[in-house]
Amino acid sequence: MTATHFRTCPLCEATCGLAITMDDGQIAHIRGDDADVFSRGFICPKGTAVKHLQEDPDILHAPLVRGADGELHQATWHDAFRAVEHGLAPIIEQYGRNATALYVGNPSVHSLSATVMLPALVKSLATQNYYTAASVDQIPKHVSCGLMFGKPELIPVPDIDRTDYLLVLGANPWVSNGSLATAPDWPGRIRAIRARGGKVVVVDPRRTETARKADEHLFIRPGTDVFLVLAMAHALVDEGRVDLKGLLPHVAGLEDLSHLVAPFSPEAVAPATGIAAADIRRITRELANAPSGSVYDRVGVHQHRFGTVASWACDIVNILTGNLDRPGGRMFPLPAHGFPDPDAPSGRGWRTGRFSSRVKGHREAYGQLPVATLADEIITPGEGRVRALVTIAGNPVLSTPNGRRLSDALEQLDFMVAVDPYVNETTRHADVILPPPPILTRHHYDFAFYGLSVRNVANYSPPLTAADGPDEWEILSRLALVANGQPVDGDASVVPSLALHSVVQKATAPGGSLAGKSVDEIVAAVEHRGPVERILDVRLRAGPFGDRFGDNPGGLSLAVLEDNPHGVDLGPLTPRLPNALKTASGKVELTPAEIVEDLPNVERAVDDVPEDLVLIGRRQLRSNNSWMHNVPTMVKGSNRCTLLVSPADATRLDLVDGRSACVRSRVGEVEAVVEICDDMMPGVVSLPHGWGHDLPGVRMDVARAAGGVSANDVTDEGLVDPLSGNAVLNAVPVRVHAAAVAVP
């Protein structure tokens, strides 16, 4: 029997719609869903990888437990959960909760069950040693927005469908399909900006795929974006171009900005950035004079020493040009699942530093510690040493700085459990691996990305096939039971049940969107659904577009999404200030104390230009971190794990195209094939992220054959942004020389 099903792609932030044709339960064909309300048929090469990820012979369908011989062996679910209980519970009992650590990787945000149930596991473990992939990615944006707007999830996104001027810093959305800005078909949307007479400017140390399609590209020395955007703010003040366009009553601290940005004139920062002062002033004027505009900043801005200040400065420029909370500027999405009322005027502000890491004293930010210090916490003796680690959908050996050191540290753990479908570079160290069900057996709704969407939409995907093991919610619930000191074979449904009651109680509390309604009646109204879907349904119905359980007939619910498999379009973004703000003042805080205190350090760094080469990463269309490298169609063809080098640097260093070169930093060295490329700025070299699969014990045959090297074997765990703890994965000082033997 042949049938076509519609589903949201779970492999990146774009949330594209897929049309999946099944023939007798097997995937016959995957294409873009032409009727999807958001993606309109757009699909990138990763979308077709869903078939292989569903059918990959290397994916685990049963748990693995390490035996007395030191090897991982297939086990029953009962025995695997018992092994978790016997390994984890005694460590918590003997050494305390901070002797455990939790690491959560990016794929978790693509899983409805993981998104809904992870808070329960975090609460149950109750350890300060909580780490996520955010601290090698976007946490500077969370911190700067938390300080400015009162809530770290309140991130404004570029309203690209209506903007007239898009300035792209440290991002390559033509390839990534956007990040912290959910939008299918960035290429089409960029073309549309230009077609309607707008302008796209890309500032990047590499002439990226996005830069090639833009109106203008400017090279910038890596790590100096913070100087550029501060100079733009300076120019706006200096030239009298500040125009908040109605935001003035809703901001605090405007009078202090002029002296804070005074040291960063375009003329002062030009030597550091490599961008002429005249060009800095020109693009500032273009942005200010455009009918609407947006500065869009991503990992190239966030992954360096002053990532948080740079993130803040980008939004300052958006504010000073009147492009915050205005069509065509940067706007705040209104997710359908937001509750009890995302625009209720209330707030206590937000802060960081509630606790610090044991070894190096790194400050907590966004409830977590920098993953750059995880190895320190494992290998350093003393009270509070991490002895047990839980990883969820993560591969930190490849994705975090100095991965070799972390890999060595994992061998010193007393116990490790991983929730992951693969034996990869990280999970090969685990004592127990608990595989979640394959992609198409899961319910899907994008909690994270609809909160970052450039248009308000909602889409739900039911499972297409039945799982042959427990759902991910049950796996995480049983881990939570163990962490709480409960029997692992207890009733796992009690965990999502408690989470459901918490959601309903918040919604029905005074001021909530369901205030006055009975908790029991609401719980009874959704009890026919699965444990996770009950929570989703309540959040949708209590949300800003919801049916409010009868009070708003025709409103949104999970049933409505089920009846609309191509999604529901909830309209363009609309202004949300000041009600959306959660600061104590009820205003946008332009000059948070933490930012102001770091600005003198930024000023001192203007003249601190590295003498060596610096290393940057790069994104690839057929890859998403290390996820895609076991998919044959994603790795076929020529070697993509190459070292991009400018012709000038290749001549200076006697490097030959196609031959190997050694890349050495303070912490390590790798060999990679040289690719001489006119797109690289002199003084900068680039390695892609997520490769290096040829480690002992990895059970991913395609990835192992593809090999490559891990760029994070040379990134330095000692370099972090002090305000957010984000690792410095860009602008890493390195030395490069020709290797003696060519890499095959």
Side-chain angles (χ1 to χ4, degrees):
M1 179 178 180
T2 300
T4 298
H5 306 271
F6 303 99
R7 187 173 184 86
T8 302
C9 179
L11 300 180
C12 80
E13 297 185 36
T15 70
C16 299
L18 303 178
I20 302 176
T21 301
M22 307 281 287
D23 190 356
D24 291 331
Q26 301 298 311
I27 300 173
H29 183 67
I30 297 177
R31 59 177 175 79
D33 177 9
D34 294 333
D36 186 272
V37 299
F38 201 17
S39 60
R40 302 294 183 186
F42 176 82
I43 186 176
C44 85
K46 290 190 289 293
T48 60
V50 169
K51 173 178 171 62
H52 187 85
L53 292 172
Q54 176 75 10
E55 301 170 354
D56 188 347
D58 289 335
I59 279 183
L60 301 176
H61 293 277
L64 299 181
V65 175
R66 195 170 300 279
D69 60 356
E71 299 298 320
L72 288 167
H73 300 281
Q74 185 168 309
T76 66
W77 282 99
H78 176 270
D79 289 345
F81 284 130
R82 281 293 187 188
V84 172
E85 185 175 42
H86 294 156
L88 189 60
I91 292 174
I92 296 174
E93 183 177 353
Q94 182 175 354
Y95 299 106
R97 295 195 170 277
N98 286 338
T100 66
L102 173 65
Y103 175 82
V104 179
N106 277 342
S108 64
V109 298
H110 298 274
S111 166
L112 174 60
S113 287
T115 302
V116 171
M117 296 312 304
L118 269 171
L121 178 58
V122 172
K123 186 176 181 180
S124 297
L125 282 170
T127 176
Q128 291 185 352
N129 289 297
Y130 177 37
Y131 309 88
T132 80
S135 63
V136 289
D137 192 329
Q138 82 276 6
I139 203 167
K141 200 67 185 176
H142 289 297
V143 172
S144 67
C145 289
L147 296 173
M148 294 179 74
F149 308 127
K151 186 178 180 182
E153 299 86 6
L154 196 59
I155 296 175
V157 302
D159 186 21
I160 55 174
D161 292 338
R162 294 181 288 186
T163 198
D164 298 286
Y165 194 96
L166 182 66
L167 178 60
V168 180
L169 303 179
N172 188 10
W174 199 277
V175 166
S176 70
N177 271 304
S179 179
L180 296 189
T182 293
D185 192 12
W186 267 83
R189 287 175 153 87
I190 289 173
R191 292 190 195 99
I193 294 173
R194 301 183 66 194
R196 60 178 178 262
K199 185 173 183 179
V200 179
V201 178
V202 175
V203 179
D204 200 284
R206 180 170 74 93
R207 188 179 295 108
T208 63
E209 293 82 352
T210 305
R212 293 176 206 149
K213 303 297 183 181
D215 296 278
E216 182 177 3
H217 168 242
L218 296 169
F219 282 121
I220 186 171
R221 186 169 287 111
T224 66
D225 307 79
V226 64
F227 307 140
L228 169 64
V229 284
L230 285 169
M232 293 179 68
H234 173 105
L236 289 167
V237 174
D238 182 53
E239 299 180 13
R241 298 181 185 277
V242 175
D243 181 4
L244 272 63
K245 295 183 175 67
L247 278 177
L248 186 60
H250 308 308
V251 302
L254 180 62
E255 61 281 0
D256 297 323
L257 272 179
S258 58
H259 78 266
L260 292 176
V261 301
F264 304 98
S265 68
E267 292 71 22
V269 308
T273 62
I275 301 177
D279 285 329
I280 296 175
R281 290 189 179 275
R282 174 180 56 81
I283 62 174
T284 303
R285 294 187 196 113
E286 290 175 354
L287 176 65
N289 293 335
S292 65
S294 175
V295 180
Y296 170 49
D297 53 304
R298 265 311 279 128
V299 291
V301 174
H302 302 157
Q303 291 176 336
H304 64 73
R305 161 64 180 79
F306 300 111
T308 302
V309 175
S311 172
W312 164 82
C314 288
D315 281 326
I316 287 296
V317 170
N318 286 317
I319 291 169
L320 295 182
T321 55
N323 282 307
L324 179 71
D325 200 43
R326 190 168 71 92
R330 289 197 69 142
M331 304 191 73
F332 298 97
L334 186 62
H337 58 272
F339 88 102
D341 186 345
D343 284 346
S346 64
R348 297 176 295 177
W350 186 80
R351 63 188 179 93
T352 64
R354 293 174 295 172
F355 52 88
S356 300
S357 66
R358 176 181 66 100
V359 178
K360 291 188 175 177
H362 290 302
R363 291 160 53 93
E364 164 272 339
Y366 200 32
Q368 59 189 270
L369 293 172
V371 72
T373 200
L374 174 57
D376 300 320
E377 297 297 324
I378 296 171
I379 67 178
T380 305
E383 184 177 353
R385 179 175 76 85
V386 169
R387 297 170 179 270
L389 174 66
V390 180
T391 65
I392 311 292
N395 193 0
V397 167
L398 292 191
S399 61
T400 66
N402 201 348
R404 292 177 183 173
R405 180 172 182 254
L406 178 60
S407 183
D408 291 341
L410 297 181
E411 283 297 302
Q412 300 183 36
L413 290 166
D414 295 345
F415 183 74
M416 177 179 169
V417 55
V419 179
D420 202 284
Y422 286 112
V423 182
N424 62 28
E425 294 72 23
T426 297
T427 63
R428 67 195 174 108
H429 295 284
D431 297 285
V432 180
I433 304 178
L434 306 171
I439 287 176
L440 298 185
T441 66
R442 308 179 200 172
H443 303 261
H444 186 83
Y445 175 89
D446 282 296
F447 266 94
F449 303 131
Y450 290 146
L452 297 164
S453 179
V454 303
R455 188 175 181 88
N456 293 319
V457 297
N459 206 333
Y460 169 75
S461 305
L464 299 190
T465 60
D468 54 6
D471 193 281
E472 194 168 8
W473 72 260
E474 182 180 345
I475 296 172
L476 298 180
S477 293
R478 295 202 181 280
L479 291 177
L481 289 176
V482 173
N484 268 318
Q486 303 296 317
V488 72
D489 55 0
D491 183 5
S493 67
V494 70
V495 180
S497 178
L498 290 172
L500 172 64
H501 277 78
S502 176
V503 168
V504 175
Q505 286 166 356
K506 289 179 181 178
T508 56
S513 57
L514 304 179
K517 292 189 177 296
S518 163
V519 171
D520 291 340
E521 289 179 1
I522 291 174
V523 170
V526 298
E527 65 181 0
H528 62 289
R529 296 194 175 276
V532 171
E533 290 67 49
R534 294 170 191 165
I535 295 173
L536 172 60
D537 197 16
V538 170
R539 293 195 60 162
L540 289 170
R541 299 176 74 173
F545 304 98
D547 68 2
R548 307 295 172 93
F549 287 87
D551 289 349
N552 180 32
L556 204 61
S557 66
L558 183 52
V560 170
L561 295 187
E562 289 172 327
D563 290 340
N564 291 271
H566 308 291
V568 175
D569 184 0
L570 301 168
L573 307 186
T574 56
R576 293 183 57 198
L577 297 186
N579 287 348
L581 297 171
K582 304 303 177 187
T583 55
S585 65
K587 297 185 176 184
V588 177
E589 296 291 347
L590 299 183
T591 56
E594 294 88 342
I595 301 289
V596 172
E597 290 169 4
D598 205 26
L599 283 172
N601 298 321
V602 179
E603 182 180 356
R604 285 190 289 270
V606 170
D607 299 323
D608 186 17
V609 178
E611 296 180 3
D612 298 333
L613 291 168
V614 292
L615 175 70
I616 63 171
R618 68 181 184 269
R619 189 71 177 264
Q620 298 174 323
L621 184 61
R622 287 184 288 146
S623 181
N624 189 352
N625 302 323
S626 62
W627 308 358
M628 302 287 102
H629 297 162
N630 211 52
V631 179
T633 57
M634 297 294 105
V635 297
K636 70 179 182 180
S638 60
N639 177 21
R640 300 206 313 276
C641 189
T642 58
L643 181 74
L644 297 187
V645 183
S646 73
D649 288 326
T651 299
R652 178 172 61 88
L653 298 169
D654 293 325
L655 303 178
V656 178
D657 193 83
R659 300 293 296 273
S660 62
C662 295
V663 182
R664 179 180 297 170
S665 72
R666 183 189 74 86
V667 302
E669 180 179 301
V670 297
E671 281 192 22
V673 174
V674 172
E675 184 178 345
I676 299 174
C677 180
D678 289 331
D679 292 332
M680 292 303 300
M681 181 180 186
V684 185
V685 295
S686 172
L687 275 174
H689 169 78
W691 295 86
H693 303 286
D694 55 346
L695 298 177
V698 173
R699 301 185 189 178
M700 300 169 67
D701 289 346
V702 174
R704 281 180 60 84
V709 298
S710 174
N712 282 321
D713 284 346
V714 293
T715 53
D716 191 337
E717 81 279 8
L719 302 176
V720 299
D721 169 22
L723 295 186
S724 67
N726 206 74
V728 175
L729 300 187
N730 276 302
V732 177
V734 295
R735 295 186 181 275
V736 177
H737 63 85
V741 181
V743 175

